[in-house]
Amino acid sequence: MHFTQELELFPGKRVTQLLFKEVRNAAGLRQSAMEGKIDGALINPTMLLSPFQVLVAANKAVHLQTIGKMKTRSLNSEIIFNLSPTNNISEAFKRFGISVGDDSVMVVVVHGEDDLQLLSDITSKVEGRQVPVEDVSSLSDTARIKKLYKVTPAEEKCGTLLDAVICRMAIKDVL
C-alpha cells in the first residue's frame, strides 16, 4: 500500500509515500503538521500526477538539506515547496499542502532504513482509507495542473504532462 524508494545519492535515506482517501481529519492533520507533531509532508494529491513527481521533490529537498541551502525551515516543507513551479513559498503551501476540507492526502516521509515505527505512527493518525500510491493519478486535477505549470498543447504533443511538470520543478531555481 505504500511506496518506498531508497535515494541512490544519499545512502541510508529512504522516501516513503502513503496515499489516503476518504480522510475525515484533514484539519487536525494539518494542525499537527504545523506544530511538528507529524514528521512527514502532507500533500494535496489532486496536484500530483505520479509518485515520481514526489520522489523528485523529496530528492531535491534532501540534497538542499545536505548542502545547507534549503529555502524553508524543514525538510517536509521543502518537499512541498519543491513541487511548485514558482519560488513563492506561501503559494506552494496553498496549492500543494493539504487544506482543512480535503478528503485525500499523500503523506511523504524521509527516513532511515530502520524507522518503520515512524510510518505506523503516521498511519495511525490518519482517519481515512489507505490506497495504493499508484492510484494518485486517479485523483489528479489535470486542468489545474496544466494551468499552474503553464503547459501548452504543443508541449504535450512532444512529451507527457509529467515530463513538463518535472522539467518545471527542476529548473525553477535556474530561471
Side-chain angles (χ1 to χ4, degrees), residues 11-175:
K13 293 272 188 187
R14 295 170 184 251
V15 176
T16 297
Q17 301 176 48
L18 305 118
L19 181 62
F20 295 89
K21 284 182 172 180
E22 301 165 13
V23 175
R24 297 176 299 280
N25 65 331
L29 290 171
R30 184 174 189 270
Q31 187 63 37
S32 293
M34 289 170 57
E35 293 170 357
K37 294 178 183 172
I38 293 181
D39 190 13
L42 304 179
I43 300 170
N44 175 358
T46 63
M47 297 303 293
L48 300 174
L49 293 167
S50 159
F52 181 68
Q53 182 181 357
V54 176
L55 194 58
V56 169
N59 193 61
K60 185 175 179 182
V62 171
H63 170 69
L64 292 171
Q65 181 187 46
T66 303
I67 64 171
K69 300 264 184 182
M70 289 196 319
K71 293 188 173 110
T72 65
R73 294 184 185 149
S74 74
L75 182 63
N76 296 322
S77 60
E78 194 73 16
I79 292 169
I80 295 170
F81 175 67
N82 286 331
L83 288 166
S84 176
T86 70
N87 282 309
N88 187 322
I89 295 170
S90 62
E91 274 299 310
F93 280 106
K94 284 180 197 168
R95 295 187 194 284
F96 293 94
I98 64 166
S99 300
V100 173
D102 287 350
D103 64 349
S104 58
V105 63
M106 169 76 81
V107 181
V108 182
V109 183
V110 177
H111 57 92
E113 295 178 39
D114 302 325
D115 295 340
L116 299 177
Q117 184 61 40
L118 176 66
L119 299 176
S120 60
D121 289 347
I122 292 173
T123 303
S124 69
K125 292 178 183 177
V126 180
E127 295 173 14
R129 181 171 56 94
Q130 189 173 357
V131 296
V133 173
E134 296 78 26
D135 291 356
V136 73
S137 60
S138 68
L139 301 171
S140 302
D141 185 342
T142 53
R144 276 182 61 204
I145 292 169
K146 286 178 187 180
K147 182 178 178 183
L148 176 65
Y149 288 96
K150 298 178 182 158
V151 178
T152 63
E155 193 172 4
E156 284 188 273
K157 287 180 183 173
C158 65
T160 66
L161 178 58
L162 180 61
D163 291 341
V165 167
I166 298 296
C167 279
R168 283 164 177 77
M169 286 170 49
I171 66 165
K172 84 173 182 182
D173 295 328
V174 180
L175 296 177

